[in-house]
Amino acid sequence: MKNIDVAVIMAGGKGSRLLSITNDEIPKPMVPVDGKPLLEYQVEKLKAYGIKKIVMIVGHLGEKIVDHFKDGKDFGVEIDYIFENEPLGTAGAFYYLKDKTDAKDFMLIFGDVFFDMDFDRMEDFHFKNSALTTLLAHPNGHPYDSDLIQTDDTGRVIGFDSKHNVRDYWYDNMVNAGIYIINKRLLDLVKEPVKTDFEKDILANQVKLGANIYAYHTPEYVKDVGTVDRIKATVEELKSGLIQSKNLKNKQRAVFIDRDGTMNVSKGFISKADDLELIPGTIDAIKAINKSGALAIVITNQPVIARGECSFEELHNIHNKLKTLLGEKGAFVDDIFYCPHHPDKGFEGEVPELKFDCECRKPKTGMIEEAVKKYNIDLSKSYMVGDSTMDLETARNAGIKSVLVDTGFAGNDGKYDRSCDIEADNLLDAVEKIIKDFR
């Protein structure tokens, strides 16, 4: 990291869901993951990105953390400690943190998170947006019982959606992962050492006041390992190499997926969430991509925006329905890129500023190029799946392999060359064939 060399780890907590492993004899952040304490993994990863000083906020059995790490020299860093004599929540100890560091910006990491990610990218995002706080956000396979973040198109946080809310609406799969970059000015908001919730008592209020709070979206491996089952899954993924491979310093495989007619039933261009109906097998297909370690990225032309037939707000609602339906069954897309433009004029209610020949509308490759830059994608190992010859032409223009699904629309539209690398009955069939090729 270029500008940040200090990290704070919230290393308190009893870990009641891990008692079968800890026997209440070791603190939660010291739970072994494949034979090594979780906290040691965190220290190693932070050190690898140039973190020189770490402040650990410890509580229950905190002396065992101190006994293990001491001053940090044996681990190549400097470690200091803040002891909570009574639980202060996720931000109460910030009161004491003011005197522990002079750094203008620092990392904050929850001690129950296993991660392998490119912190340089998150740091660049933080300073580009002059953020007071940047939260790391990602999709997961259980958004229905997770605290979610609401953002605008720039990543600026506009609200928080508690897992305790009654969600009678479609929602974005944008989960707060427990990793932050914080400007020291935020510490001044904690006036006394009392129990304080970082998200509810500080960040939510700052969002309401219009502060620069941003969410950095990443598909990298960041997982709360606060249960026995999650630790077991993490060990398996660590041994398989999946965790390391998802670090965005490494080139990524991606499956680019057309939306209408490929994921959802083709009804022309839909303009409201009620019209989104997933094709059978779509959820299982996305779950298979997730399990493979490849990125699942939707690439879709949405000229209904330029035509004035659908608002940006309603398009986001349509996509939130897609994410909600997937998340209810343990699947997620890593991102959705859409083109709102349309070159032809003459539609009633059209939006003039969106009526032009752009570089993102398929079969041009602007959306794919944006995804490549954002996620370090290796196009030579990636695929484009669609139901039309336009999707095949997009794949050829981008230099990636193409898959045509026979879901009843435009495989025979005749506008572009119909030749492709793979033909499939539907998205699930396509993904099964792609994964065989991955192997």
Side-chain angles (χ1 to χ4, degrees):
M1 300 178 80
K2 306 180 190 74
N3 300 294
I4 298 175
D5 61 4
V6 175
V8 177
I9 301 177
M10 302 294 296
K14 291 186 177 181
S16 57
R17 295 177 297 174
L18 293 172
L19 283 177
S20 63
I21 298 177
T22 66
N23 294 315
D24 204 25
E25 294 176 354
I26 60 173
K28 179 181 180 181
M30 294 295 286
V31 64
V33 178
D34 196 25
K36 183 189 295 185
L38 170 60
L39 202 51
E40 197 169 316
Y41 280 103
Q42 293 189 341
V43 170
E44 289 175 353
K45 292 300 180 184
L46 291 169
K47 177 190 171 187
Y49 278 89
I51 297 296
K52 298 175 182 177
K53 179 176 180 178
I54 296 173
V55 179
M56 294 186 181
I57 300 174
V58 299
H60 181 65
L61 299 176
E63 67 278 1
K64 297 199 173 184
I65 294 176
V66 178
D67 288 344
H68 184 83
F69 289 101
K70 300 181 174 61
D71 61 6
K73 289 181 180 178
D74 290 344
F75 297 88
V77 294
E78 176 189 342
I79 299 179
D80 199 353
Y81 301 90
I82 293 173
F83 285 85
E84 291 185 348
N85 296 320
E86 57 184 45
L88 295 176
T90 51
F94 285 4
Y95 178 82
Y96 301 112
L97 188 57
K98 302 172 193 178
D99 298 325
K100 291 289 186 178
T101 178
D102 294 324
K104 291 183 179 180
D105 296 86
F106 61 91
M107 301 288 307
L108 174 69
I109 296 175
F110 285 6
D112 58 358
V113 177
F114 195 98
F115 58 85
D116 193 333
M117 58 171 289
D118 184 354
F119 281 118
D120 291 338
R121 287 173 175 260
M122 184 176 181
E123 181 190 43
D124 289 345
F125 179 87
H126 174 75
F127 286 108
K128 175 185 175 183
N129 291 293
S130 301
L132 180 64
T133 297
T134 297
L135 305 79
L136 188 145
H138 65 152
N140 73 14
H142 54 99
Y144 48 83
D145 65 359
S146 300
D147 291 325
L148 303 175
I149 304 168
Q150 299 166 326
T151 66
D152 64 16
D153 283 342
T154 70
R156 186 166 185 159
V157 178
I158 57 176
F160 294 92
D161 186 357
S162 170
K163 62 186 176 184
H164 301 297
N165 290 342
V166 177
R167 291 178 178 155
D168 54 354
Y169 46 83
W170 309 119
Y171 49 84
D172 193 358
N173 186 343
M174 182 80 75
V175 179
N176 187 355
I179 296 178
Y180 309 81
I181 297 178
I182 298 173
N183 185 279
K184 192 179 181 182
R185 288 181 291 124
L186 187 128
L187 299 182
D188 294 333
L189 300 175
V190 182
K191 304 296 185 182
E192 54 184 333
V194 296
K195 193 168 186 179
T196 307
D197 186 280
F198 185 37
E199 182 177 298
K200 296 182 178 66
D201 298 329
I202 297 179
L203 293 181
N205 188 51
Q206 287 300 298
V207 166
K208 290 178 182 177
L209 293 173
N212 272 8
I213 310 296
Y214 277 82
Y216 170 71
H217 177 275
T218 180
E220 293 167 293
Y221 195 95
V222 183
K223 179 176 286 189
D224 168 1
V225 290
T227 69
V228 175
D229 287 343
R230 289 179 188 172
I231 288 178
K232 289 179 180 178
T234 297
V235 170
E236 290 178 6
E237 290 162 338
L238 186 64
K239 290 180 176 180
S240 73
L242 173 69
I243 294 176
Q244 303 92 316
S245 70
K246 291 187 75 64
N247 186 309
L248 290 182
K249 279 191 175 295
N250 302 312
K251 288 288 186 180
Q252 303 295 307
R253 297 180 189 265
V255 180
F256 296 102
I257 312 163
D258 170 57
R259 196 193 80 182
D260 300 309
T262 303
M263 300 183 73
N264 53 279
V265 176
S266 179
K267 302 176 181 179
F269 287 108
I270 62 176
S271 58
K272 55 183 184 296
D274 288 347
D275 291 337
L276 183 87
E277 177 187 353
L278 294 184
I279 296 171
T282 293
I283 294 175
D284 288 335
I286 302 303
K287 286 178 75 172
I289 297 173
N290 299 153
K291 187 176 180 180
S292 77
L295 302 176
I297 298 178
V298 179
I299 303 288
T300 178
N301 287 347
Q302 290 300 315
V304 285
I305 301 293
R307 293 176 182 176
E309 298 166 2
C310 179
S311 66
F312 282 104
E313 182 180 12
E314 184 57 24
L315 180 62
H316 291 160
N317 195 39
I318 292 169
H319 288 158
N320 284 347
K321 180 178 181 179
L322 172 64
K323 293 172 184 178
T324 301
L325 294 176
L326 292 172
E328 287 174 347
K329 301 297 182 181
F332 57 87
V333 292
D334 291 287
D335 212 335
I336 298 176
F337 293 85
Y338 63 88
C339 169
H341 310 112
H342 193 260
D344 299 334
K345 299 179 181 180
F347 294 88
E348 184 178 355
E350 65 186 23
V351 183
E353 58 267 30
L354 298 177
K355 304 293 289 185
F356 63 94
D357 188 10
C358 62
E359 293 302 316
C360 54
R361 180 175 168 81
K362 294 185 293 184
K364 294 183 180 179
T365 59
M367 289 185 283
I368 291 178
E369 290 168 14
E370 185 180 352
V372 168
K373 182 178 179 181
K374 189 173 182 179
Y375 298 123
N376 195 19
I377 294 168
D378 184 345
L379 292 179
S380 71
K381 296 181 179 179
S382 300
Y383 284 84
M384 173 78 207
V385 184
D387 67 327
S388 75
T389 60
M390 178 185 288
D391 296 314
L392 304 182
E393 186 71 6
T394 304
R396 281 188 288 272
N397 290 339
I400 58 179
K401 295 179 181 179
S402 58
V403 185
L404 180 66
V405 294
D406 182 17
T407 49
F409 176 48
N412 297 308
D413 59 15
K415 189 170 184 180
Y416 301 99
D417 183 357
R418 195 180 185 279
S419 61
C420 60
D421 293 289
I422 296 174
E423 292 193 27
D425 294 334
N426 50 43
L427 182 58
L428 179 57
D429 184 34
V431 168
E432 288 172 345
K433 291 175 178 176
I434 288 170
I435 290 176
K436 284 183 181 178
D437 188 54
F438 282 168
R439 294 172 185 157

